[in-house]
Amino acid sequence: MNTRTDLYIVRGTEFTELAQLACKLSEKILSNQNTALILCHDDTQARSLDEQMWSFKDAAFLPHEQRTSPNKDYPIAISTLLLHEAAGKKQGEDADALIYLSPSLLQIEPRHSRRLILVNSEESNLSKARSLYKKLKTAGGEVHYHDLR
């Protein structure tokens, strides 16, 4: 499967900035009638993202649930690295897009046609993103870079 990768670099270093972008991207994914699995580093991030999705927009609702895969009622699933590993390789395979919210998750290979990697502006994370970008480009992957700083 040919996977498109989009690397997004956000302005700040706080998780809330990553979560806000994840909400915007999820909204766009839903508008195209697609599903998303958002992979967080831990339960704290997953809860924070869940809260932000509820308050993302006053006039919009992002149907989501903390689970290992999206479904027709909740096309956005929020999961964690621990749940991902516990669920095994089948987790989220039915999602159209995989959104990573932590640089430590970059090593997980998707079985999706689309992956979106959100990186904050901490230098260590930027370094990981640069290395990943070079690796994917060298391998002939379709990679798009979005610097939102």
Side-chain angles (χ1 to χ4, degrees):
M1 171 190 333
N2 187 15
T3 299
R4 174 186 165 137
T5 301
D6 288 270
L7 281 165
Y8 291 87
I9 309 299
V10 300
R11 179 176 311 217
T13 59
E14 299 298 320
F15 179 76
T16 54
E17 291 146 335
L18 293 176
Q20 184 69 20
L21 180 57
C23 290
K24 289 178 185 176
L25 294 171
S26 296
E27 182 178 46
K28 184 170 180 159
I29 289 167
L30 282 178
S31 73
N32 291 321
Q33 305 297 310
N34 289 318
T35 61
L37 170 62
I38 305 173
L39 199 54
C40 300
H41 181 69
D42 55 31
D43 288 334
T44 302
Q45 285 185 350
R47 282 191 300 276
S48 177
L49 178 60
D50 177 56
E51 289 173 18
Q52 195 148 359
M53 284 201 160
W54 281 107
S55 60
F56 172 59
K57 284 187 176 176
D58 290 337
F61 173 65
L62 297 173
H64 68 283
E65 191 171 57
Q66 290 188 44
R67 53 184 298 118
T68 58
S69 291
N71 61 39
K72 71 178 184 99
D73 295 325
Y74 298 100
I76 301 169
I78 301 171
S79 191
T80 65
L81 180 58
L82 186 61
L83 285 175
H84 177 81
E85 291 172 344
K89 297 186 184 281
K90 299 277 186 211
Q91 179 193 15
E93 282 188 351
D94 51 350
D96 298 307
L98 178 58
I99 301 174
Y100 299 85
L101 293 185
S102 173
S104 63
L105 305 171
L106 299 179
Q107 75 275 6
I108 297 171
E109 287 300 317
R111 290 167 198 74
H112 308 81
S113 60
R114 185 90 189 270
R115 69 177 158 188
L116 303 97
I117 302 167
L118 285 52
V119 180
N120 69 27
S121 293
E122 287 180 12
E123 186 53 44
S124 63
N125 295 335
L126 292 173
S127 177
K128 289 177 186 179
R130 285 195 270 307
S131 295
L132 178 66
Y133 179 85
K134 289 176 187 173
K135 177 182 169 186
L136 293 170
K137 282 301 241 185
T138 301
E142 181 183 357
V143 185
H144 301 268
Y145 177 78
H146 311 274
D147 192 337
L148 307 176
R149 293 178 286 174

